[in-house]
Amino acid sequence: MNNQKKNNKTTSIIFFACYFIVTLVFAFLIPEQLDDWAWGGQIGLDRLSNWFDNYSGRYVGNLIVLALTRSLVLRSFVMALTLTGIIYMIYKFTQSQNSGHIIAALLALFIPLHVFRQTVAWVSGFSNYVTSIALILVYLCATNSMYEEKPKQSFIKSILFAILGFASSMIVEHVTLYSIILGLYILLFNLIKYKKLIIQNLLYFIGTILGTYLMFSNSVYSQITSGNDSYRSVGNSIKDTIKLAIENVDMIVEFGVEKNLVINTVIAVLVLTLFCTYKKQYWNTTTKTVSKLCVFTIWGYVAFSGLVCIGENIATKGMMCLGFLFTIIYALSLLVFFALLPIELIKRVRLEFLLCSIVILFAPLIVVNPISERCFYPTYIVFILLTLEMYSNLNDKAKALVDKSNKIGLTVLAIGGIYLVMIFATITNASNSRIEKIQQDVAKGESTITVQKLPYNNYIHYDTPRSSLWVERYKNYYGIPQETNVDFVEYKY
């Protein structure tokens, strides 16, 4: 038994070491895009000089992107450590032993492309949306033992948790609000279960409150709420709020849930497996029948999710309404299924907490404008957490069957990693060649320069400037004279 544990530990270490190396190479190959041109130049320093006043209260996220856009080596190591750390923390939090880390990595690999290119493959997006959920995972893992034993009071943890709560609340707004609720949940959980106030958890909660206050004290948010911000807004009347909510709910449902086809399918498979595993242990016929209905509903949603992913041109109002209603029923079906599972109460609480976390992270997005696909990275990571938590509740026989597919999973990961590295090597090579050509033509005195857009641009956020403002920033970042006209034409493969 000890030898088996030692072998598993060694295998895990090798896996995470390989995962880190691949993500390190990948991060090194990501080209600068859009906001990176501003943050990495004088504009970023100007924002820092007045402490981001009237820009954003994402103080920690802003500092991260300032640092990462100024050092390729730092950027590569931070991104690789964070992405590897996310998989590791999911694995540790869910205590999913066996193939848990492979499943988590596979689900991360199959993240929808529209989310991937605005977060993992974009330094500015990564600095906010990836780092914010990574810090949430740090706290989840640090407090995970509370489900099994009463936490011990710790002076060192009190200081670290206060800093963690404070920092977590100043990266991206909807995760900021979630961090407060998370802090309150863990505080109340210990109060109810152990009848004790855990000081370090209290200080984390206080840290989130202080961080949230500091974030939203930035003058930009008063500009947004008054309707004077040129980019961001909230509903200024009941009618506007309802209209905005309808538009945003459609986007949340489509890009936040429906198009997660792979993870929706895995969740459905796990639901069916859990039902078959525990069907003889249900308390009565009614609970078993209701659970069976939930299973059918969840599988129905997978079919609908596939239809949405395949049928890009069927986004009629009727389909949008159907999608919204079906997603609500899907979420309720999961909630009921978890509540009725004949497993330990504490295991059901963990499942329901993760499901509710997804809803809580979605909620603030309903009433703000604009929202984009990058907002759904944190929720996708929580979906992976939920999936691995479900997997951890399978019996040993079911896990053993999954273990037999490890080689297939590792092969898919290897192919996927090599594929992404090759894609981004091609993109970066083209980007470097493009800049070199521009600089050579500038040196020759050319007034108009024609260059190609980047290849595989569906894997990156914006490969070329999208307006005159971004053309100006692009030129400043690469030292191109403003009077030089740069024309971008389609890439020829």
Side-chain angles (χ1 to χ4, degrees):
M1 182 65 73
N2 290 333
N3 287 335
Q4 181 65 35
K5 286 184 178 180
K6 188 175 181 179
N7 290 336
N8 289 340
K9 186 176 181 179
T10 302
T11 303
S12 295
I13 290 172
I14 294 172
F15 171 84
F16 284 110
C18 293
Y19 193 89
F20 172 79
I21 292 169
V22 173
T23 52
L24 180 66
V25 175
F26 163 77
F28 188 83
L29 295 171
I30 295 173
E32 292 81 7
Q33 308 155 60
L34 211 61
D35 293 63
D36 301 342
W37 305 326
W39 282 112
Q42 184 59 42
I43 293 173
L45 297 176
D46 291 340
R47 291 169 180 169
L48 176 63
S49 65
N50 68 348
W51 197 235
F52 313 109
D53 184 49
N54 203 31
Y55 177 74
S56 90
R58 300 178 176 184
Y59 298 111
V60 173
N62 293 342
L63 291 173
I64 292 172
V65 72
L66 267 173
L68 298 191
T69 50
R70 279 171 164 71
S71 171
L72 178 58
V73 173
L74 178 65
R75 180 189 86 187
S76 302
F77 273 93
V78 169
M79 293 183 76
L81 281 170
T82 305
L83 293 171
T84 305
I86 285 174
I87 301 302
Y88 177 76
M89 288 186 287
I90 291 172
Y91 174 63
K92 294 300 289 184
F93 176 78
T94 55
Q95 300 174 343
S96 49
Q97 306 310 322
N98 304 74
S99 306
H101 52 309
I102 298 175
I103 297 171
L106 282 169
L107 293 175
L109 176 66
F110 285 104
I111 184 173
L113 189 57
H114 56 265
V115 178
F116 169 84
R117 63 176 170 240
Q118 290 193 24
T119 53
V120 180
W122 182 32
V123 179
S124 293
F126 172 91
S127 299
N128 289 306
Y129 297 91
V130 179
T131 58
S132 60
I133 194 62
L135 290 184
I136 292 295
L137 287 172
V138 169
Y139 188 57
L140 285 174
C141 289
T143 56
N144 199 28
S145 60
M146 72 178 189
Y147 292 102
E148 298 174 357
E149 59 185 15
K150 182 168 65 175
K152 296 179 181 178
Q153 305 282 14
S154 169
F155 176 74
I156 295 176
K157 280 187 177 181
S158 296
I159 296 173
L160 294 176
F161 282 10
I163 295 171
L164 180 61
F166 187 66
S168 300
S169 303
M170 292 184 289
I171 302 182
V172 65
E173 290 80 2
H174 64 300
V175 180
T176 294
L177 299 177
Y178 174 75
S179 69
I180 296 175
I181 296 173
L182 172 63
L184 184 61
Y185 160 75
I186 290 178
L187 197 63
L188 293 177
F189 181 93
N190 285 288
L191 274 173
I192 294 169
K193 184 173 175 62
Y194 301 113
K195 306 294 188 294
K196 190 172 183 179
L197 181 68
I198 308 300
I199 299 302
Q200 59 258 32
N201 295 338
L202 175 62
L203 288 177
Y204 175 87
F205 178 63
I206 293 173
T208 63
I209 297 294
L210 293 176
T212 302
Y213 173 78
L214 181 58
M215 169 183 262
F216 288 105
S217 65
N218 189 293
S219 60
V220 72
Y221 297 103
S222 61
Q223 295 289 323
I224 294 171
T225 54
S226 63
N228 294 322
D229 189 89
S230 59
Y231 178 59
R232 295 151 293 191
S233 65
V234 294
N236 292 320
S237 66
I238 295 177
K239 183 179 179 181
D240 288 344
T241 302
I242 293 173
K243 182 181 178 182
L244 180 62
I246 292 172
E247 293 174 355
N248 286 358
V249 163
D250 284 340
M251 187 170 186
I252 291 168
V253 166
E254 181 179 0
F255 293 103
V257 187
E258 288 176 347
K259 289 194 172 181
N260 296 343
L261 179 58
V262 172
I263 208 164
N264 288 341
T265 304
V266 174
I267 287 173
V269 170
L270 288 170
V271 163
L272 179 60
T273 306
L274 286 168
F275 176 77
C276 293
T277 300
Y278 296 105
K279 63 182 179 181
K280 294 181 180 180
Q281 299 174 36
Y282 275 94
W283 302 295
N284 54 51
T285 305
T286 302
T287 56
K288 186 176 180 180
T289 302
V290 172
S291 291
K292 190 180 294 185
L293 181 61
C294 291
V295 173
F296 281 114
T297 303
I298 291 163
W299 272 99
Y301 191 81
V302 171
F304 182 78
S305 178
L307 181 64
V308 170
C309 291
I310 296 169
E312 292 287 344
N313 298 318
I314 60 171
T316 62
K317 287 186 177 180
M319 283 297 291
M320 289 178 185
C321 290
L322 179 61
F324 171 70
L325 291 173
F326 208 164
T327 301
I328 295 296
I329 294 170
Y330 171 66
L332 290 174
S333 296
L334 281 172
L335 189 67
V336 172
F337 181 79
F338 294 152
L340 296 180
L341 261 180
I343 57 178
E344 295 175 39
L345 174 61
I346 206 70
K347 292 181 178 180
R348 282 184 274 130
V349 169
R350 287 171 64 97
L351 288 167
E352 290 170 348
F353 157 70
L354 291 172
L355 181 61
C356 290
S357 291
I358 294 169
V359 177
I360 293 167
L361 281 165
F362 279 146
L365 302 176
I366 295 174
V367 292
V368 295
N369 181 58
I371 62 171
S372 58
E373 290 92 334
R374 56 184 171 271
C375 297
F376 307 124
Y377 183 85
T379 49
Y380 188 82
I381 294 301
V382 182
F383 266 118
I384 298 179
L385 269 175
L386 177 63
T387 305
L388 267 291
E389 188 66 31
M390 293 170 67
Y391 170 77
S392 69
N393 283 289
L394 297 180
N395 59 26
D396 292 338
K397 183 179 179 181
K399 289 180 180 178
L401 289 174
V402 176
D403 287 345
K404 291 181 180 179
S405 304
N406 275 354
K407 290 183 179 179
I408 296 174
L410 290 171
T411 302
V412 172
L413 282 172
I415 293 171
I418 294 170
Y419 174 77
L420 284 176
V421 167
M422 291 178 63
I423 288 288
F424 277 85
T426 305
I427 292 171
T428 298
N429 182 60
S431 178
N432 292 339
S433 298
R434 183 170 75 176
I435 297 303
E436 185 178 342
K437 180 183 184 303
I438 292 173
Q439 291 172 341
Q440 288 175 350
D441 287 355
V442 167
K444 293 176 184 177
E446 301 284 349
S447 58
T448 299
I449 301 169
T450 301
V451 292
Q452 295 183 41
K453 295 179 180 180
L454 298 183
Y456 305 109
N457 55 18
N458 57 322
Y459 282 85
I460 51 180
H461 185 35
Y462 272 100
D463 64 322
T464 54
R466 61 183 183 183
S467 68
S468 58
L469 172 66
W470 291 106
V471 168
E472 179 184 339
R473 293 177 175 180
Y474 178 84
K475 291 177 179 178
N476 284 336
Y477 185 76
Y478 290 110
I480 304 167
Q482 290 295 329
E483 62 273 14
T484 302
N485 182 41
V486 182
D487 290 333
F488 296 91
V489 298
E490 292 301 320
Y491 184 85
K492 295 181 180 179
Y493 290 89

